[in-house]
Amino acid sequence: MPTEWTTEDDDKCPDPIRPRPTQDSRGFFMLPQAPMDSGYYVYGDLYKKPAKGAYQYAHPIMMTAVLRVALEWQAIDKRRIGIGDISLPDGRRTPDHNSHMSGLEVDVRPLRKDGLELPVFWWDAEYDKQGTAKLIEMFRTFAPVAFVLFNGPDIPFVRKATNHDHHFHVKLRG
């Protein structure tokens, strides 16, 4: 068994979470993994292990949107926003989504009232509906949003979807 893997046999590698290049074959870059004062933190698993950026390759439009929204959010709130799945390198099919291959889709955690960087469901007492609605509105203001999926009630321009109780999904036009 070879000890090093090339892009051509990437799908055969026994370690899906190994360190990956910061740029994929599409020219998309991995989202910086939450540098200091970035306004965001990263979360997510791949094959039941921390993804370590392997699921965060972003189209330039998405990269710009995430960085801009995080910057704008940081100007009004001390809590960081949670950025999850975007795309696997090279747009490969994902093990847990029928989407997230274009680099133009991102999962974002709803905000928590206590500021902890942990999951929260929209029905939990710690869910911050007003903050989450404001964050969704910021994506709509600073990015070419096609649609947002989230099951939290009474948030304008948001559609409901299965399994979107603890994150919202933003799809950008590209």
Side-chain angles (χ1 to χ4, degrees), residues 24-37:
D24 71 7
S25 65
R26 301 172 292 183
F28 294 3
F29 285 93
M30 181 191 297
L31 183 72
Q33 298 298 288
M36 291 296 293
D37 299 322

Side-chain angles (χ1 to χ4, degrees), residues 5-160:
W5 298 86
T6 65
T7 303
E8 291 77 33
D9 54 23
D10 187 58
D11 60 333
K12 298 174 192 162
C13 177
D15 181 7
I17 310 299
R18 73 197 177 287
R20 295 180 180 271
T22 57
Q23 188 176 25
D24 71 7
S25 65
R26 301 172 292 183
F28 294 3
F29 285 93
M30 181 191 297
L31 183 72
Q33 298 298 288
M36 291 296 293
D37 299 322
S38 64
Y40 69 91
Y41 66 95
V42 296
Y43 73 92
D45 292 336
L46 183 59
Y47 305 110
K48 301 185 194 271
K49 295 181 183 178
K52 299 180 183 175
Y55 216 147
Q56 293 186 319
Y57 285 83
H59 185 285
I61 294 170
M62 178 58 76
M63 183 70 74
T64 301
V66 168
L67 297 176
R68 175 72 188 272
V69 169
L71 179 69
E72 296 290 340
W73 182 258
Q74 192 176 32
I76 65 165
D77 198 299
K78 64 179 169 45
R79 296 174 291 182
R80 297 191 308 165
I81 60 176
I83 304 297
D85 299 345
I86 299 173
S87 171
L88 289 174
D90 309 318
R92 290 196 345 247
R93 186 160 294 286
T94 66
D96 57 349
H97 288 93
N98 291 326
S99 57
H100 289 275
M101 290 178 282
S102 68
L104 290 166
E105 297 166 274
V106 64
D107 291 338
V108 182
R109 280 187 174 156
L111 290 163
R112 295 176 58 99
K113 293 175 185 172
D114 59 14
L116 295 177
E117 296 177 356
L118 297 171
V120 65
F121 288 83
W122 64 264
W123 57 76
D124 291 339
E126 287 305 320
Y127 166 63
D128 181 354
K129 178 183 175 181
Q130 182 179 1
T132 300
K134 177 67 176 168
L135 180 56
I136 290 170
E137 182 59 29
M138 287 183 121
F139 271 97
R140 293 186 65 245
T141 299
F142 297 111
V145 173
F147 60 83
V148 177
L149 303 175
F150 181 52
N151 292 339
D154 304 320
I155 297 180
F157 306 104
V158 173
R159 296 187 291 188
K160 296 190 182 311

